[in-house]
Amino acid sequence: MRAATLRHLGTLPVALFLALFFAAPLANLLAYSFLTYKGLAGASWPLTMANILQALQLKHGLTFLKSLALSGGVTLACFILGLSSAFHLAKKIPKKRQYFFLFLLTLPFWTSSLSRLYGWYFLLGAHGPINSLLMQVGLIHEPLPLLFNTGACFVGLLYNNLPYMILPVYGVLSRMDNDLLEAAQDLFAGKWQLWRHVIIPLAAPGWIAGGLLVLIASLTDFITIEVLSGAKHLFAASLIQNQFLIVRNWPLGSALTLAFFLMSLAVLGLGLGLLSKKFPYALRRERLLSELGEGLAHG
Amino acid sequence: MDSKGPRPAAADKIIRHLPQVSFILTFAFLYIPIGAIILFSLSDSRLFGQWGGLTFKWYKKLFENVLILESLKVSLIVAGASALLSTLLGTLFTFARERLSGRKHRSGLLEIGLIAVLLSPEIIFGVSLLIFFGFLNIALGFTALILAHTLTNLPLAWLIISARLKSIAKELEEAAMDLGASYSMALRKITLPLLAPAMLASALVTFSYSFDCFVVSFFLAGPGTTTLPLRTYSLLRGGPTPEINALSTLLFVLPLILVGTAAITLFKPQKNMGRAAHAQDQAAR
C-alpha cells in the first residue's frame, strides 16, 4: 500500500505539470481560434469562424508559402552539404579522430543560441568585419546589403540546422558496409552513379530523419528570422508573434498558429508520402524513430 | 546501368571532391561567426575592419552596466529555480517509474508527454502559455517564467536522471535491506549517493538550458523581468558594438563550462556502483 502512494507521489507532480502547463494551454489555444476578438488581448464568447477565415486569407497564405520555400531551400542545402560532409567524416577520417570532429560539430549547440545568431548579425552588418574589410581594401565603396534580407535568413537557418542533418546521416553511414561501395565500383559505377544508386538510398533513414528535423526546426525558428530580417515580418513565425505581442489579437494569432501548423503537417505528410514510394524500407516507423533519437541524443 | 554513357570528367571531379570540400566548409562555416565575435570582443576599437590592439575594457564595461547586471540577476533566479524544480520533479518521477512501478503500471503516457515537450518548437510554448496565463489572470513575470522554464526543462532532467537510475542495480537496495537497513536508509545511504552526480548534472544542464532560453522568455517576460538573452536582444537592435561582442562571448563560454562540468561528473568512472551493477553493465555490453 505504501508503495502505491509513493509511486503516485512521484508521478503526480509531473502529470499535473504536463496537464496544466502543456495540454491545457494547447487546448486553450485551439479554443481561442474560435473566439471573437475583443481588443487589448481580450476574447469573448460568440464562437466564430471569423479568425479562421481571416487566417486563411491570401496574404497569409503567401507568407506561409514563403516560409515553406525558405525552409525547403534550407533543407535542400543541408541535404547536399550535410550528406557529403557526413560521408567524408564517416568514410575518410580515421575512427579515433571522428569523435573529435563530432564533438566540434555539436559544441556550438551547447552555447547561447542568441550569441551565435548575433555572430551573423555582426558579421553581415553594414559595419561588420566583412563589409569593413572589403571597403578598407578598396574592393567596394559602399557596404554590401548582406543583412536584413532573405539571404541572411537563409544563412542563419542553415547555420542552425546543419548539424541536425549531419548527425543522423553520419550515424547511418558509419554503420554502412564499405563492401557495398566496393562492389558497386567493381561493377563500373561512376561517382555519380555510386551516389545516386548506392549511397543516397542506403543513407535514406538518416537524411529523411535529418530532413524532417531541419524542416520543422527552420519553419518554427522565429528568432533567427526576426533578427536577421530586421523584424520585417517577412515570414510566418514572426508574423505570428507579431499578432500576439504587438497587435495583441490573440484569437487571430491562435488561428494563424493553427493554420500554419496544419499546413506544415500537411506538407510533411505529403513529402513523406512521396518519399515512401521511393524508399519504403527507410520509412518504417522504428527505423525513423531510432535515427531521430540518435540525432537528438548527440545534439 | 545508366544509359547516358560515361559522365563528363568535370562533373565526376566535382563529385569526387565534394565530400571533402563540404566537410571543410561546414566546420569553417560553424566557427567563423563565433571566432569573429570573440576576436572583436578583445579589439580596442569600435570599428570592425581591423584589429585595434588587445584589451579587456569591453568586458569591464559590461560589469558596470546596470541594466545588464539586473538582467543577469533575473536570469540567475529563473534558471536556478527552474533547474532545481525540474531536477526535483524529474527525480521523483524517475524514481516512481523505475523503482516503484510494476509492469501493469507502465502506461507510458507521461513519457510520451515528456517527449512531446522535448520535440515541440518553443514558439508553441510561448504562445500557448501566454494566452493561458492571460486567461487565468496570472501576471507575466517571475512566476510565469519559472513555471514555463520548468516545463521545458523537465524532459532533459528526466532523461539524464533516468539514464543513470536505470544503471544502478535494484539489487543494491535489496542487499542493504537484507543486511538490516530500512528501505529509506537504503535509499539514503546507497541509491542517493550513487544518483547524486546525475542530479547535479541535471541541475547544471537545465540551468544552462533555461539561462539561454530565448523564445519562451520572449513571450512570458513581464516588466522588470527581462532575462539576459532578452536584454541582449534589445541591445543588439541598436547595431553591433564591442560591448555586445563581449557579452556574447561570455554567454558563449558560460554554458560550455556548465555543460562540460556536467559531462565530467556524469562520465567520471564510478568506483562503488556495486559489483552487481558492474556485472549488469558488462553483460549489457
Side-chain angles (χ1 to χ4, degrees), chain A residues 71-82:
Chain A
S71 301
V74 171
T75 309
L76 186 63
C78 280
F79 174 73
I80 297 175
L81 267 181

Side-chain angles (χ1 to χ4, degrees), chain B residues 5-19:
Chain B
R7 290 270 151 185
D12 224 39
K13 236 188 174 173
I14 296 178
I15 299 180
R16 180 173 321 204
H17 293 297
L18 188 62

Side-chain angles (χ1 to χ4, degrees), chain A residues 102-114:
Chain A
L102 282 176
F103 172 70
L104 268 192
L105 197 66
T106 50
L107 188 69
F109 284 76
W110 286 113
T111 66
S112 167
S113 55
L114 196 63

Side-chain angles (χ1 to χ4, degrees), chain B residues 44-213:
Chain B
D44 192 351
S45 159
R46 282 198 176 274
L47 300 173
F48 304 119
Q50 56 190 358
W51 180 249
L54 185 68
T55 176
F56 288 103
K57 73 181 192 193
W58 309 118
Y59 291 91
K60 253 208 304 200
K61 271 194 158 192
L62 276 183
F63 290 109
E64 294 160 11
N65 188 326
V66 173
L67 289 178
I68 290 187
L69 290 177
E70 234 180 72
S71 327
L72 179 63
K73 205 165 57 146
V74 171
S75 278
L76 285 176
I77 294 176
V78 173
S82 64
L84 284 176
L85 259 182
S86 56
T87 301
L88 183 66
L89 290 181
T91 308
L92 286 176
F93 180 73
T94 310
F95 217 81
R97 278 291 204 243
E98 282 300 315
R99 290 288 191 261
L100 301 170
S101 293
R103 218 165 289 147
K104 53 180 173 164
H105 298 123
R106 298 191 185 232
S107 73
L109 183 67
L110 292 177
E111 280 84 350
I112 295 181
L114 284 172
I115 304 268
V117 171
L118 188 65
L119 292 180
S120 299
E122 282 189 56
I123 190 173
I124 283 278
F125 297 119
V127 159
S128 64
L129 283 174
L130 176 67
I131 56 180
F132 189 64
F133 285 144
F135 175 66
L136 290 182
N137 245 317
I138 298 180
L140 300 179
F142 276 114
T143 321
L145 280 177
I146 293 178
L147 287 175
H149 281 219
T150 306
L151 177 68
T152 48
N153 283 340
L154 259 184
L156 288 176
W158 166 60
L159 284 175
I160 294 178
I161 295 179
S162 73
R164 178 47 67 93
L165 189 57
K166 282 188 187 165
S167 70
I168 298 178
K170 201 170 179 177
E171 287 75 30
L172 289 175
E173 292 151 21
E174 292 171 5
M177 292 197 288
D178 283 346
L179 290 170
S182 65
Y183 192 55
S184 61
M185 188 181 283
L187 287 182
R188 260 186 301 128
K189 300 257 177 178
I190 309 281
T191 319
L192 232 50
L194 286 177
L195 197 57
M199 291 169 69
L200 178 66
S202 156
L204 288 174
V205 169
T206 51
F207 182 87
S208 175
Y209 185 73
S210 159
F211 195 86
D212 171 47
C213 175

Side-chain angles (χ1 to χ4, degrees), chain A residues 62-289:
Chain A
L62 281 179
T63 313
F64 291 168
L65 282 178
K66 266 205 292 186
S67 290
L68 210 54
L70 181 65
S71 301
V74 171
T75 309
L76 186 63
C78 280
F79 174 73
I80 297 175
L81 267 181
L83 191 55
S84 35
S85 303
F87 181 77
H88 184 79
L89 181 63
K91 296 297 171 199
K92 298 292 170 69
I93 302 225
K95 233 355 178 153
K96 294 214 175 129
R97 290 218 220 114
Q98 283 182 14
Y99 291 116
F100 171 66
F101 283 109
L102 282 176
F103 172 70
L104 268 192
L105 197 66
T106 50
L107 188 69
F109 284 76
W110 286 113
T111 66
S112 167
S113 55
L114 196 63
S115 289
R116 286 178 282 127
L117 188 59
Y118 172 71
W120 284 109
Y121 183 78
F122 172 68
L123 260 186
L124 298 175
H127 300 288
I130 296 182
N131 273 318
S132 303
L133 201 66
L134 288 178
M135 284 212 286
Q136 222 164 41
V137 175
L139 279 173
I140 54 177
H141 297 291
E142 268 189 23
L144 295 172
L146 295 173
L147 194 57
F148 302 133
N149 53 29
T150 309
C153 293
F154 184 83
V155 169
L157 287 176
L158 181 64
Y159 182 78
N160 282 339
N161 292 306
L162 202 48
Y164 286 136
M165 176 64 89
I166 295 184
L167 288 169
V169 175
Y170 167 81
V172 178
L173 285 179
S174 64
R175 282 177 269 140
M176 181 170 84
D177 203 344
N178 281 342
D179 293 343
L180 292 166
L181 292 175
E182 284 186 29
Q185 285 172 317
D186 285 345
L187 290 170
F188 304 111
K191 282 291 177 182
W192 169 243
Q193 287 159 342
L194 195 65
W195 278 88
R196 181 161 176 262
H197 295 286
V198 182
I199 300 178
I200 293 182
L202 281 178
W207 56 259
I208 292 182
L212 284 177
L213 283 176
V214 172
L215 200 58
I216 299 179
S218 54
L219 274 175
T220 57
D221 186 344
F222 97 91
I223 181 58
T224 303
I225 291 180
E226 187 79 356
V227 170
L228 293 179
S229 74
K232 276 190 262 179
H233 307 307
L234 296 174
F235 297 99
S238 58
L239 179 75
I240 291 179
Q241 71 86 5
N242 179 51
Q243 282 298 326
F244 277 103
L245 293 178
I246 301 181
V247 177
R248 307 199 84 201
N249 182 345
W250 286 359
L252 181 59
S254 309
L256 280 172
T257 312
L258 213 61
F260 183 56
F261 281 104
L262 283 179
M263 180 202 70
S264 312
L265 279 179
V267 170
L268 267 175
L270 197 70
L272 281 180
L274 289 174
L275 279 177
S276 71
K277 296 233 162 55
K278 276 209 104 188
F279 304 105
Y281 73 97
L283 283 167
R284 274 203 325 262
R285 192 162 35 120
E286 320 82 51
R287 194 76 212 267
L288 208 56
L289 282 176

